[in-house]
Amino acid sequence: EVQLVESGGGLVQPGGSLRLSCAASGITFDDFAVTWFRQVPGKEREGVSCISTGSGSTLYADSVKGRFLISSDSAKNTVYLQMNSLKPDDTAVYYCTARVEVLNYYCEGNQVLRWSHMDYWGNGTLVTVSS
C-alpha cells in the first residue's frame, strides 16, 4: 500500500519559517514528480511546488517564488518544502502528492500543476500563519 504522510505543519507568526516533510512508504521517490498543493476552504486548490526526483528539476508558483524551497532526500525517501517569510495568505492545508514520471520530467518548463495529474495523495497538514 502506498502512503504519503505529511508532517511539519503548525502555527507560525508572519515572517517565520516552517519545513514540511512528505515521507513515502510503498514506493521509492526515485523517479517521481512530487508536488505540493495547498487549499483554503472556499478557494481553488493551488499547486505550490514540484520536484522531479529523477532530474532534480523544480517548479514554483509565482506566489511562493523566492520564499519556498523544495528538496528531496533519497536516503530518507522524503521530500521537503522549506517555507520562509511566511504570510497570512500562506495559511492552508498543504498536501503532498506524487506522479509517476512518464516519458518526460513533469516539473519542467511551463507545466501547470494539476491535482488530477497525480497518482498518489497524502491527507494534508495544516499551516496557519497568524500573529
Side-chain angles (χ1 to χ4, degrees):
E1 181 187 5
V2 176
Q3 284 191 316
L4 302 181
V5 179
E6 304 95 336
S7 61
L11 174 64
V12 64
Q13 292 187 340
S17 298
L18 281 176
R19 188 178 78 160
L20 303 184
S21 299
C22 173
S25 60
I27 56 173
T28 55
F29 277 155
D30 286 343
D31 205 10
F32 277 82
V34 181
T35 306
W36 288 93
F37 291 85
R38 65 185 181 186
Q39 188 164 28
V40 176
K43 291 190 177 181
E44 191 173 335
R45 187 182 293 119
E46 177 186 21
V48 174
S49 183
C50 176
I51 183 167
S52 283
T53 58
S55 68
S57 58
T58 58
L59 289 176
Y60 296 91
D62 287 343
S63 57
V64 306
K65 275 181 184 175
R67 300 189 298 122
F68 289 13
L69 180 68
I70 192 169
S71 62
S72 65
D73 185 333
S74 58
K76 296 183 178 180
N77 209 29
T78 299
V79 168
Y80 302 99
L81 185 67
Q82 177 67 43
M83 306 187 297
N84 301 321
S85 302
L86 283 162
K87 307 173 182 179
D89 284 350
D90 295 318
T91 295
V93 177
Y94 284 72
Y95 297 91
C96 175
T97 67
R99 168 188 170 91
V100 178
E101 298 278 32
V102 180
L103 296 178
N104 301 312
Y105 290 115
Y106 186 76
C107 305
E108 291 184 343
N110 296 319
Q111 178 64 55
V112 176
L113 307 180
R114 296 198 188 281
W115 184 266
S116 61
H117 289 172
M118 301 298 122
D119 297 306
Y120 305 104
W121 300 265
N123 290 324
T125 185
L126 176 62
V127 172
T128 303
V129 184
S130 175
S131 56

